[in-house]
Amino acid sequence: MHFFDELKTSLEEAVDIKNGTKAPSRVTRYEIADVKAIREQLNVSQAEMAKALGTSVDTIKSWESRRRNPTGLAAKVLATIQANPAFFYELAAH
């Protein structure tokens, strides 16, 4: 029952946060990257960017057309590349 109690408490907390009666302990947000602008700044093709990021060309295309947005680690990596373009070339070298 201990696991169930923890799960119930967690769900109640999630509902309180959603209803605005409790603040989340932390929030991590990244600006939605302009993938096309980053890629053009780097002067690399969609295929080169996809290979460096370990994703498909279709994913790069969907990010560039804004049908989908990079999330999680991809968003963090793109923010890092935007702040430090040399990081992209380190990724591409591996």
Side-chain angles (χ1 to χ4, degrees):
M1 284 305 272
H2 180 67
F3 176 74
F4 175 78
D5 292 336
E6 286 181 3
L7 186 57
K8 181 181 175 209
T9 300
S10 178
L11 289 172
E12 288 170 347
E13 183 178 20
V15 169
D16 289 344
I17 291 169
K18 178 153 177 53
N19 291 336
T21 58
K22 182 175 184 172
S25 61
R26 66 183 168 139
V27 177
T28 304
R29 295 179 196 258
Y30 297 98
E31 286 186 35
I32 297 174
D34 185 342
V35 177
K36 186 172 186 175
I38 293 170
R39 185 178 59 77
E40 288 175 346
Q41 177 189 6
L42 296 168
N43 197 30
V44 296
S45 69
Q46 290 175 332
E48 290 169 317
M49 180 168 250
K51 184 176 179 184
L53 296 179
T55 191
S56 70
V57 173
D58 286 339
T59 297
I60 300 298
K61 287 178 180 178
S62 68
W63 289 345
E64 288 188 2
S65 67
R66 302 214 182 236
R67 282 179 296 158
R68 292 179 46 214
N69 294 317
T71 59
L73 183 58
K76 190 171 189 173
V77 168
L78 287 165
T80 302
I81 290 170
Q82 193 166 19
N84 179 14
F87 181 68
F88 173 82
Y89 300 106
E90 289 183 41
L91 283 176
H94 293 281

